[in-house]
Amino acid sequence: QVQLVESGGGSVQAGGSLKLSCAASGYFYSSSCMGWFRQAPGKEREGVAAIYRSTGSTYYVHSVVGRFTISRDNAESTLYLQMNSLKPEDTAMYYCATILKDNGRCWAISMADFPYWGQGTQVTVSS
């Protein structure tokens, strides 16, 4: 059974930092790609960052490059998203998701490729 549980969201002022965590079930070692997505009110869900298990390669949407860092801890079966220099436009519900079987598209950070999702954690950045 695939289970993902996010935590670490909250409210912060612009310029601040937050670190999101995603605790994964026992399948963690089989996941080929894990990612973070976000959805702001009235907007579509967008891919933010992803990490490819076999190479450790990371991928980011342009708007977060240099500010966000995705990482995974295999020992703790946890995915992280370190978010620095936060902006009001980063306000959204953040979700972690995973692909088990490698489809070669981790780099795309596309919703359609990720079948397993967590319930989300809210991030609010005030100006």
Side-chain angles (χ1 to χ4, degrees):
Q1 182 178 359
V2 177
Q3 190 170 18
L4 302 169
V5 180
E6 302 95 334
S7 62
S11 297
V12 64
Q13 288 191 328
S17 298
L18 283 173
K19 185 173 184 177
L20 305 184
S21 300
C22 174
S25 64
Y27 82 93
F28 187 81
Y29 293 97
S30 302
S31 64
S32 65
C33 173
M34 296 193 75
W36 286 98
F37 293 77
R38 66 186 179 187
Q39 187 167 19
K43 295 188 177 181
E44 293 187 353
R45 193 172 299 187
E46 68 167 344
V48 175
I51 184 165
Y52 190 42
R53 176 176 178 267
S54 63
T55 63
S57 297
T58 56
Y59 312 95
Y60 299 93
V61 68
H62 179 72
S63 60
V64 307
V65 170
R67 301 189 299 123
F68 290 12
T69 303
I70 187 171
S71 61
R72 59 184 283 169
D73 184 327
N74 288 336
E76 296 184 2
S77 299
T78 304
L79 179 73
Y80 300 101
L81 185 68
Q82 176 67 47
M83 305 186 295
N84 299 327
S85 302
L86 282 162
K87 304 176 181 180
E89 51 263 43
D90 295 318
T91 295
M93 184 72 79
Y94 282 71
Y95 301 88
C96 71
T98 189
I99 302 168
L100 297 186
K101 185 176 181 180
D102 189 359
N103 64 358
R105 286 180 44 83
C106 192
W107 59 268
I109 328 177
S110 171
M111 268 186 61
D113 293 323
F114 288 76
Y116 303 103
W117 293 82
Q119 83 291 346
T121 186
Q122 178 68 38
V123 172
T124 302
V125 184
S126 57
S127 57

